[in-house]
Amino acid sequence: MEITTRVTEYTVCALPEDHIDADIFAITVAYRGHGLWAVLRGKRCLDAGGTWWWEPIPSERTDEWKAANRFDEETALRLAREAAPTVVVNGWTAESVLAQSKEIEKRHGLTPS
């Protein structure tokens, strides 16, 4: 018997992994079988053009939809990395969250000026 190990999911985020808000800004790259990967944020799926769509239930995913929303691993990771800085949560980007964190730390003397 051969034991196998495989990666089935990546997390891509513009915030550091230890940032309190990293999970809500994260993009997931998930293996969907047959060598294909999906780029996800919650129930939304990124297409090759950079548009987020609601991911239909499996029985409603047409071949056309799959062709636009399933990628090889390298492409999926590239698309996720490109999309990560554009994620907006309640009007905040990762960049604005990091800037606010630095300002708060500076104000409270938690980091050098």
Side-chain angles (χ1 to χ4, degrees):
M1 174 181 3
E2 182 179 344
I3 307 300
T4 61
T5 303
R6 67 179 177 269
V7 174
T8 59
E9 190 171 284
Y10 293 95
T11 301
V12 178
C13 188
L15 293 176
E17 69 178 302
D18 63 345
H19 193 282
I20 192 168
D21 293 322
D23 62 328
I24 61 174
F25 280 85
I27 294 172
T28 302
V29 177
Y31 185 65
R32 292 297 200 230
H34 307 290
L36 298 175
W37 296 75
V39 181
L40 308 165
R41 280 209 68 235
K43 302 219 182 245
R44 293 182 181 231
C45 191
L46 189 69
D47 72 11
T51 301
W52 293 98
W53 299 95
W54 287 107
E55 186 173 36
I57 61 173
S59 63
E60 294 180 5
R61 295 176 194 161
T62 64
D63 290 342
E64 179 182 52
W65 186 90
K66 289 178 195 174
N69 293 275
R70 296 294 185 257
F71 313 97
D72 62 78
E73 183 177 10
E74 182 180 338
T75 301
L77 287 167
R78 177 181 54 77
L79 290 169
R81 287 183 188 110
E82 290 171 358
T86 70
V87 171
V88 177
V89 178
N90 293 329
W92 292 80
T93 63
E95 184 177 19
S96 61
V97 168
L98 289 172
Q100 182 196 41
S101 295
K102 285 185 181 188
E103 180 58 37
I104 290 169
E105 290 171 352
K106 183 178 175 183
R107 199 173 325 134
H108 293 283
L110 302 172
T111 60
S113 300

